Amino acid sequence: MAVSALIGVAVMAAVDEIVFHQILAWHHFYDRSTPTVGLLSDGLLHTGELLALVAGFVLYADLRRRQALAPDHALAGLFLGLGGFQLFDGIVDHKLLRVHQVRYGVDVTPYDLAWNATGLVLLAIGGVLAVRAVRRYRPASS
Protein backbone atom coordinates (compact mmCIF):
# COMPACT_ATOMS: atom_id res chain seq x y z
CA MET A 1 0.00 0.00 0.00
CA ALA A 2 2.86 2.41 0.82
CA VAL A 3 4.47 1.99 -2.59
CA SER A 4 1.30 2.89 -4.45
CA ALA A 5 0.64 5.74 -1.99
CA LEU A 6 4.02 7.17 -3.02
CA ILE A 7 2.93 6.90 -6.66
CA GLY A 8 -0.38 8.59 -5.78
CA VAL A 9 1.38 11.49 -4.08
CA ALA A 10 3.65 11.92 -7.11
CA VAL A 11 0.77 11.74 -9.59
CA MET A 12 -1.27 14.37 -7.71
CA ALA A 13 1.80 16.60 -7.41
CA ALA A 14 2.26 16.25 -11.17
CA VAL A 15 -1.39 17.13 -11.83
CA ASP A 16 -1.06 20.20 -9.60
CA GLU A 17 2.22 21.23 -11.19
CA ILE A 18 1.15 20.72 -14.79
CA VAL A 19 -2.46 21.97 -14.61
CA PHE A 20 -2.39 24.74 -12.00
CA HIS A 21 1.23 25.91 -12.19
CA GLN A 22 1.96 25.59 -15.90
CA ILE A 23 -1.22 25.44 -18.00
CA LEU A 24 -3.49 27.74 -15.98
CA ALA A 25 -0.58 29.69 -14.40
CA TRP A 26 -2.70 30.32 -11.31
CA HIS A 27 0.19 30.03 -8.89
CA HIS A 28 3.71 28.77 -8.30
CA PHE A 29 4.70 26.45 -5.50
CA TYR A 30 6.26 29.41 -3.66
CA ASP A 31 4.59 32.75 -4.40
CA ARG A 32 6.03 34.83 -1.60
CA SER A 33 9.02 36.05 -3.58
CA THR A 34 9.93 36.99 -7.14
CA PRO A 35 8.57 35.20 -10.24
CA THR A 36 12.06 33.74 -10.74
CA VAL A 37 11.93 32.14 -7.30
CA GLY A 38 8.41 30.93 -8.10
CA LEU A 39 9.67 29.20 -11.24
CA LEU A 40 12.58 27.72 -9.32
CA SER A 41 10.19 26.36 -6.68
CA ASP A 42 8.03 24.81 -9.43
CA GLY A 43 11.12 23.17 -10.90
CA LEU A 44 12.05 21.73 -7.52
CA LEU A 45 8.49 20.42 -7.02
CA HIS A 46 8.56 18.89 -10.49
CA THR A 47 11.93 17.26 -9.73
CA GLY A 48 10.61 15.82 -6.49
CA GLU A 49 7.45 14.43 -8.09
CA LEU A 50 9.46 12.78 -10.89
CA LEU A 51 11.88 11.20 -8.41
CA ALA A 52 8.93 9.93 -6.38
CA LEU A 53 7.31 8.51 -9.53
CA VAL A 54 10.48 6.69 -10.57
CA ALA A 55 11.12 5.35 -7.05
CA GLY A 56 7.48 4.32 -6.71
CA PHE A 57 7.41 2.43 -10.00
CA VAL A 58 10.76 0.74 -9.29
CA LEU A 59 9.40 -0.47 -5.94
CA TYR A 60 6.09 -1.45 -7.57
CA ALA A 61 7.93 -3.47 -10.24
CA ASP A 62 9.98 -5.17 -7.52
CA LEU A 63 6.79 -6.18 -5.69
CA ARG A 64 5.40 -7.63 -8.92
CA ARG A 65 8.66 -9.46 -9.63
CA ARG A 66 8.60 -11.05 -6.17
CA GLN A 67 4.87 -11.80 -6.60
CA ALA A 68 4.25 -9.84 -3.41
CA LEU A 69 1.88 -7.28 -4.93
CA ALA A 70 -1.66 -7.18 -3.56
CA PRO A 71 -3.63 -5.29 -6.24
CA ASP A 72 -6.48 -4.30 -3.90
CA HIS A 73 -4.04 -2.83 -1.39
CA ALA A 74 -2.18 -1.09 -4.19
CA LEU A 75 -5.34 0.59 -5.47
CA ALA A 76 -6.22 1.72 -1.95
CA GLY A 77 -2.73 3.14 -1.50
CA LEU A 78 -2.96 5.02 -4.79
CA PHE A 79 -6.15 6.82 -3.70
CA LEU A 80 -4.74 7.48 -0.21
CA GLY A 81 -1.68 9.06 -1.82
CA LEU A 82 -3.73 11.16 -4.21
CA GLY A 83 -6.00 12.45 -1.46
CA GLY A 84 -3.19 12.83 1.05
CA PHE A 85 -1.23 15.12 -1.24
CA GLN A 86 -4.31 17.16 -2.13
CA LEU A 87 -5.41 17.67 1.46
CA PHE A 88 -1.86 18.34 2.72
CA ASP A 89 -1.39 20.96 0.00
CA GLY A 90 -4.75 22.56 0.73
CA ILE A 91 -4.29 22.75 4.50
CA VAL A 92 -0.55 23.03 5.11
CA ASP A 93 0.74 24.81 1.98
CA HIS A 94 -2.30 27.02 1.34
CA LYS A 95 -3.49 27.88 4.85
CA LEU A 96 -0.83 27.16 7.46
CA LEU A 97 2.38 28.04 5.60
CA ARG A 98 0.70 30.29 2.99
CA VAL A 99 3.38 29.48 0.41
CA HIS A 100 0.73 29.85 -2.29
CA GLN A 101 -3.04 29.95 -2.86
CA VAL A 102 -5.10 28.19 -5.53
CA ARG A 103 -5.83 31.57 -7.20
CA TYR A 104 -5.22 35.22 -6.57
CA GLY A 105 -7.43 38.25 -7.07
CA VAL A 106 -10.68 36.34 -6.51
CA ASP A 107 -12.66 35.04 -3.55
CA VAL A 108 -10.56 31.98 -2.81
CA THR A 109 -13.19 30.28 -0.60
CA PRO A 110 -14.87 28.20 -3.34
CA TYR A 111 -11.47 27.16 -4.67
CA ASP A 112 -10.28 26.12 -1.20
CA LEU A 113 -13.50 24.18 -0.59
CA ALA A 114 -13.25 22.39 -3.94
CA TRP A 115 -9.54 21.68 -3.41
CA ASN A 116 -9.92 20.24 0.07
CA ALA A 117 -13.21 18.45 -0.69
CA THR A 118 -11.51 16.70 -3.59
CA GLY A 119 -8.75 15.59 -1.24
CA LEU A 120 -11.26 14.31 1.30
CA VAL A 121 -13.21 12.39 -1.34
CA LEU A 122 -10.02 10.75 -2.63
CA LEU A 123 -8.97 9.88 0.93
CA ALA A 124 -12.42 8.44 1.67
CA ILE A 125 -12.27 6.29 -1.47
CA GLY A 126 -8.82 5.09 -0.43
CA GLY A 127 -10.05 4.36 3.09
CA VAL A 128 -13.00 2.32 1.85
CA LEU A 129 -10.77 0.41 -0.56
CA ALA A 130 -8.23 -0.23 2.21
CA VAL A 131 -10.86 -1.63 4.56
CA ARG A 132 -12.23 -3.86 1.79
CA ALA A 133 -8.71 -5.04 0.91
CA VAL A 134 -7.88 -5.89 4.53
CA ARG A 135 -11.16 -7.79 4.93
CA ARG A 136 -10.63 -9.65 1.66
CA TYR A 137 -7.12 -10.82 2.54
CA ARG A 138 -7.74 -11.52 6.24
CA PRO A 139 -7.07 -15.17 6.98
CA ALA A 140 -10.14 -17.12 7.96
CA SER A 141 -10.38 -17.60 11.71
CA SER A 142 -11.18 -20.97 13.13
Side-chain angles (χ1 to χ4, degrees), residues 35-114:
T36 301
V37 171
L39 284 174
L40 173 65
S41 69
D42 286 346
L44 293 173
L45 174 64
H46 204 51
T47 301
E49 82 202 26
L50 287 174
L51 289 174
L53 266 177
V54 169
F57 278 111
V58 166
L59 294 169
Y60 185 89
D62 183 56
L63 287 174
R64 283 186 54 111
R65 182 186 59 78
R66 293 186 290 120
Q67 297 181 342
L69 181 68
D72 293 343
H73 287 86
L75 186 60
L78 178 68
F79 276 94
L80 290 173
L82 293 168
F85 176 87
Q86 187 79 8
L87 200 56
F88 180 88
D89 189 43
I91 293 173
V92 175
D93 294 337
H94 295 181
K95 297 303 163 198
L96 296 177
L97 299 177
R98 296 188 171 275
V99 294
H100 64 261
Q101 297 295 320
V102 178
R103 289 195 76 177
Y104 295 96
V106 298
D107 178 12
V108 75
T109 304
Y111 294 96
D112 284 340
L113 291 174

